[in-house]
Amino acid sequence: MRALVRETALAAQHLVLPLFVHEGDVATPIASMPGCARLPLAGIVLRAREAFDLGVPAVALFPALPDARKTPRGEEAVNREGLLQRTVRALKHELPALVVITDVALDPYSSDGHDGLVVDGRIDNDATLPLLAAMAVAQAEAGADVVAPSDMMDGRVRAIRTALDAAGHTGVGICSYCVKYASAFYGPFRDALDSAPRAGDKKTYQMDPANVREALREVALDAQEGADWLMVKPGLPYLDVISAVRAATPLPVAAYHVSGEYAMLKAAAANGWLDYDRCLLESLLALRRAGADVIFTYGAIDAARLLTKQR
Ligand code: PBG
């Protein structure tokens, strides 16, 4: 009877698994994200297949580069033979039906650790746009299905859409990290990529956690510029924002259950203080209830397995 009247559904089909790829040939665990590792290319394909076989339709890729490959302008981002591009090609070759989402932002490639270009100690929004557009085209050329700008520069959705169309990639979608807060919950992710800003913080481009009306302004701008999905990030601390965004747009809404949210569950479970499995499913269900169509979560494989078992 409870199933008949249940208002919200959570299934593997709603989940996206973020993965960290590196150049090494072994997996290196990420201390602050138990259960996650930087994987070599072959390991990414195995992990993606595991997720796909459990019904998770998509992965989101992040490259962890050695410092030697990082430069102020992040040129490695457009290298056709670069790690990310090779990984995308391998995934689309092995798993053609898997949705491959790539991240568009300078930080994994930038020696400054910022998502935008640093000029005289400041982020230069407009000078960053052509770099992001070129990065998105390089990812689309490698076979990405959806590019996901996570940089929060103003005007980048239009710049990316225009560049993709001009290069013939009219079918590649844009998942805009539209409402992304300057959050302390990204700490473990920055450990994973060694991508913390070398100076300053990200407050001049990411949003103030105090604001929700501003989120609706970001939604209107990104929708007008041609975004296909809109993301709110982090997830659980921002359920009210997800709900407001859901009400404000007909576009699909994604939520990112970020590294810090995942780390909290793992740490509490390791202490015997919380039941990881139940808290993970409850967290993801809450994100769906708030209005998220799509959820990016490091727990995608765990959740998919639990949901299969429940069925
Ligand atoms: C940066 C980016 C970040 C995340 C995704 N893309 C971190 C940041 O803005 O510093 C965070 C994801 C997570 O914490 O799980 N472009």
Side-chain angles (χ1 to χ4, degrees):
M1 200 192 297
R2 198 168 280 156
L4 277 172
V5 296
R6 203 153 199 242
E7 297 173 29
T8 307
L10 172 68
Q13 77 187 70
H14 302 122
L15 306 178
V16 176
L17 175 67
L19 290 170
F20 301 107
V21 60
H22 75 159
E23 306 257 10
D25 40 28
V26 290
T28 58
I30 301 157
S32 50
M33 300 178 71
C36 295
R38 295 175 206 86
L39 298 173
L41 202 158
I44 293 283
V45 174
L46 288 176
R47 199 94 175 113
R49 189 186 299 280
E50 186 184 359
F52 193 71
D53 287 346
L54 284 163
V56 174
V59 297
L61 291 177
F62 298 94
L65 299 181
D67 278 350
R69 289 215 190 275
K70 301 185 183 182
T71 54
R73 299 177 65 84
E75 280 88 352
E76 180 65 12
V78 295
N79 178 359
R80 284 202 69 222
E81 293 309 314
L83 176 64
L84 182 89
Q85 271 70 252
R86 281 185 282 125
T87 309
V88 172
R89 284 199 293 270
L91 281 172
K92 290 306 294 183
H93 182 259
E94 297 293 326
L95 297 162
L98 177 75
V99 178
V100 175
I101 304 173
T102 49
D103 198 71
V104 180
L106 281 190
D107 56 328
Y109 305 98
S110 153
S111 43
D112 293 305
H114 274 288
D115 296 20
L117 185 65
V118 180
V119 177
D120 297 331
R122 288 172 185 253
I123 306 298
D124 189 331
N125 185 97
D126 292 5
T128 305
L129 301 183
L131 305 183
L132 298 172
M135 185 184 308
V137 170
Q139 295 171 349
E141 248 147 45
D145 299 294
V146 174
V147 295
S150 69
D151 55 283
M152 287 296 276
M153 298 302 120
D154 292 325
R156 91 280 205 220
V157 173
R158 175 162 293 138
I160 290 170
R161 186 71 269 163
T162 305
L164 286 174
D165 290 352
H169 299 294
T170 51
V172 172
I174 300 179
C175 167
S176 172
Y177 285 62
C178 168
V179 182
K180 178 172 177 183
Y181 288 92
S183 170
F185 286 100
Y186 309 148
F189 175 96
R190 293 178 190 172
D191 295 342
L193 294 193
D194 187 24
S195 64
R198 302 301 184 251
D201 54 43
K202 298 193 175 185
K203 291 182 187 167
T204 64
Y205 45 104
Q206 299 182 349
M207 280 181 49
D208 182 342
N211 294 356
V212 64
R213 291 196 305 271
E214 186 185 4
L216 301 183
R217 190 156 170 263
E218 296 280 1
V219 164
L221 288 169
D222 282 12
Q224 198 181 26
E225 290 180 29
D228 298 290
W229 309 349
L230 302 177
M231 187 190 287
V232 177
K233 176 181 177 193
L236 277 194
Y238 296 87
L239 292 179
D240 59 324
V241 181
I242 295 170
S243 164
V245 168
R246 170 72 293 155
T249 176
L251 289 173
V253 175
Y256 203 136
H257 180 242
V258 300
S259 57
E261 299 174 64
Y262 172 81
M264 288 196 298
L265 293 183
K266 282 289 181 176
N271 275 301
W273 297 338
L274 282 181
D275 178 330
Y276 170 76
D277 291 354
R278 290 178 55 212
C279 288
L280 175 67
L281 290 184
E282 187 175 331
S283 300
L284 301 180
L285 185 68
L287 292 165
R288 291 271 305 147
R289 193 192 62 237
D293 300 291
V294 178
I295 304 171
F296 288 53
T297 176
Y298 302 95
I301 288 182
D302 296 335
R305 220 174 247 123
L306 291 164
L307 290 165
T308 309
K309 230 191 293 168
Q310 274 182 3
R311 269 222 315 278

